[in-house]
Amino acid sequence: DTEVTQTPKHLVMGMTNKKSLKCEQHMGHRAMYWYKQKAKKPPELMFVYSYEKLSINESVPSRFSPECPNSSLLNLHLHALQPEDSALYLCASSQDRTGVRQPQHFGDGTRLSIL
Amino acid sequence: AQSVTQLGSHVSVSEGALVLLRCNYSSSVPPYLFWYVQYPNQGLQLLLKYTSAATLVKGINGFEAEFKKSETSFHLTKPSAHMSDAAEYFCAVTPITGGGNKLTFGTGTQLKVEL
């Protein structure tokens, strides 16, 4: 069992739909991440939140909108996605201590299919 | 920019044989290095990490890796492969300071274990 929980596990949506992905952790981590992973490829970083504030946006299209309502929860709001956005979306979390790199812990992901 | 190179996108070993997965990093300053494993339809699980303490790092499931600065390498090994080790393995790097704890992944190595 992973300590980072992602829901839903699978999502199929049309290009005009609005949906959200949810990620939750209760390890007291203050850094949370969204990654996109295409088949047979490594994860690609999308966003980083540190202490509930967006610290990194890797030039992600605006049809992806992240939100961090509190220190345990991370959402990814989806709107008007394209077929090429179909992928596994992974959430991760880590401790965030200045000067000490902590490993990231990953959830099992949401497999997203865009029709 | 830091990067890692994983030599061999596919590695096949017999059950009971030595597992060797190669990872070389590119950085002017030794970074922090990680090995992650990804089983089908799952997220990434941390196997082990190098954070400038001991150069020989022991991880979970009998895996270990040795940091060699002179060779800029961090190869993953396991003395005896088991069928359950079949998975995708990613080497990843993050700078010791700065960069917001961004992980940069290698392209991955698919490990196949045969009877």
Side-chain angles (χ1 to χ4, degrees), chain A residues 79-93:
Chain A
H79 174 55
L81 295 193
Q82 302 298 308
E84 60 266 27
D85 297 323
S86 297
L88 180 67
Y89 287 83
L90 293 165
C91 174
S93 70

Side-chain angles (χ1 to χ4, degrees), chain A residues 25-86:
Chain A
Q25 58 88 13
H26 295 287
M27 294 180 282
H29 292 173
R30 300 310 296 272
M32 297 185 77
Y33 312 79
W34 280 116
Y35 289 85
K36 174 183 178 180
Q37 186 180 26
K38 301 286 276 186
K40 308 296 184 185
K41 297 289 186 182
E44 297 176 356
L45 183 66
M46 301 174 70
F47 303 103
V48 180
Y49 273 83
S50 178
Y51 289 87
E52 294 94 71
K53 293 190 188 307
L54 183 64
S55 61
I56 295 176
N57 177 341
E58 291 287 278
S59 302
V60 178
S62 60
R63 57 186 184 267
F64 294 92
S65 176
E67 178 196 20
C68 191
N70 58 60
S71 61
S72 301
L73 191 57
L74 185 66
N75 298 319
L76 186 63
H77 302 298
L78 316 172
H79 174 55
L81 295 193
Q82 302 298 308
E84 60 266 27
D85 297 323
S86 297

Side-chain angles (χ1 to χ4, degrees), chain B:
Chain B
Q2 300 189 327
S3 65
V4 287
T5 300
Q6 292 184 241
L7 290 176
S9 58
H10 292 82
V11 170
S12 183
V13 300
S14 299
E15 191 174 34
L18 172 71
V19 176
L20 171 61
L21 305 182
R22 300 179 186 273
C23 173
N24 288 87
Y25 68 89
S26 173
S27 173
S28 57
V29 176
Y32 288 163
L33 291 154
F34 306 87
W35 275 101
Y36 284 88
V37 60
Q38 186 174 32
Y39 298 101
N41 300 314
Q42 293 187 23
L44 278 68
Q45 181 181 9
L46 179 69
L47 279 176
L48 47 79
K49 62 182 180 181
Y50 168 75
T51 55
S52 72
T55 55
L56 182 61
V57 181
K58 293 188 183 300
I60 62 171
N61 302 339
F63 285 93
E64 64 180 38
E66 185 172 10
F67 175 78
K68 292 187 177 180
K69 183 179 177 180
S70 61
E71 299 178 6
T72 61
S73 69
F74 190 56
H75 301 331
L76 182 70
T77 61
K78 182 174 180 177
S80 177
H82 191 273
M83 296 296 289
S84 60
D85 294 326
E88 186 85 21
Y89 290 80
F90 292 100
C91 182
V93 63
T94 189
I96 294 176
T97 58
N101 200 18
K102 288 176 59 174
L103 272 179
T104 301
F105 288 91
T107 51
T109 298
Q110 182 73 43
L111 176 65
K112 183 178 179 181
V113 181
E114 299 174 319
L115 288 172

